[in-house]
Amino acid sequence: NAGVTQTPKFQVLKTGQSMTLQCAQDMNHEYMSWYRQDPGMGLRLIHYSVGAGITDQGEVPNGYNVSRSTTEDFPLRLLSAAPSQTSVYFCASSYSNRAGMNIQYFGAGTRLSVL
Amino acid sequence: AQKITQTQPGMFVQEKEAVTLDCTYDTSDPSYGLFWYKQPSSGEMIFLIYQGSYDQQNATEGRYSLNFQKARKSANLVISASQLGDSAMYFCAMRELDSGSARQLTFGSGTQLTVLP
């Protein structure tokens, strides 16, 4: 009953370091997304994928890379961490049912601090 | 322009009373879906309720109902018989089905609900 699993739960980086946030889902969902949540704001879309091998940019993609080599995994890479990337990161997966309803299921989040 | 507006940063409600959390949206797509998510202090995002733009009736899920007024572009969440466990941040979100946004969610800034004993 895993759903969407994000690792790590917490991470502290120094400016300029790189790292990968992991996201895996076991529901065979076609859509996966990465969001960031900053204080006083809702979630903002970073990158998304509509299927294995297909990715695209969201609202705030700068400084992040993604890839989707399998249906299950959708890692988010920070290329050179900056303090502005201090945030809580959520991964989500979803599918569209016949009614066009697309409910996104979220992971527990990764709290990232960049010093 | 904001696509999703939640004008109430914080709300208080007495236990066992009903509360309405406001959400207005802006879209030119005829096909869209509206969602409400709950985020407790533990941080996870929990899906509560969904309303499609073509749905004839207001959505209901247990103690949650959605007051959908399409002409006014509002989708307010009503929580009946509030419980202490309802204290959380609540987010309204929209998915536009026909636009080029590849059907991802746009979120409002949230409303922090506190249920008082």
Side-chain angles (χ1 to χ4, degrees), chain A residues 6 13 15 19 24 29 37-38 43 46 58 63 80 88-89 107 109-110 113:
Chain A
Q6 286 184 239
L13 294 177
T15 297
M19 80 157 294
H29 286 171
Q37 183 179 28
D38 300 301
L43 279 66
I46 304 171
S80 177
V88 181
Y89 291 84
T110 295
S113 293

Side-chain angles (χ1 to χ4, degrees), chain B residues 6-49:
Chain B
Q6 295 181 253
T7 57
Q8 307 153 313
M11 289 279 287
F12 292 88
V13 64
Q14 208 68 38
E15 193 178 7
K16 299 180 185 176
E17 292 186 349
V19 64
T20 298
L21 307 184
D22 295 341
C23 173
T24 57
Y25 59 92
D26 182 26
T27 181
S28 56
D29 279 350
S31 301
Y32 53 89
L34 296 156
F35 302 77
W36 278 91
Y37 282 85
K38 172 184 178 181
Q39 186 178 42
S41 57
S42 51
E44 69 269 32
M45 296 286 287
I46 303 168
F47 166 73
L48 294 178
I49 195 167

Side-chain angles (χ1 to χ4, degrees), chain A residues 31 33 37 42 90 100 102 104, chain B residues 37 39 43 91 95 103-104 108:
Chain A
Y31 302 111
S33 311
Q37 183 179 28
F90 287 96
N102 184 299
Q104 298 211 353
Chain B
Y37 282 85
Q39 186 178 42
F91 290 99
R95 173 175 170 250
R103 311 175 211 160
Q104 302 307 311

Side-chain angles (χ1 to χ4, degrees), chain A residues 31-33 35 37 40-43 45 48-50 90 96 99-108 111, chain B residues 35 37 39 41-47 50 89 91 95 97 100-110:
Chain A
Y31 302 111
M32 295 187 76
S33 311
Y35 295 86
Q37 183 179 28
M41 303 181 73
L43 279 66
L45 183 65
Y48 63 93
S49 169
V50 299
F90 287 96
S96 279
M101 187 169 149
N102 184 299
I103 297 173
Q104 298 211 353
Y105 295 88
F106 287 83
R111 293 184 179 275
Chain B
F35 302 77
Y37 282 85
Q39 186 178 42
S41 57
S42 51
E44 69 269 32
M45 296 286 287
I46 303 168
F47 166 73
Y50 168 85
M89 182 73 87
F91 290 99
R95 173 175 170 250
L97 301 182
S101 64
R103 311 175 211 160
Q104 302 307 311
L105 288 175
T106 302
F107 284 83
S109 56

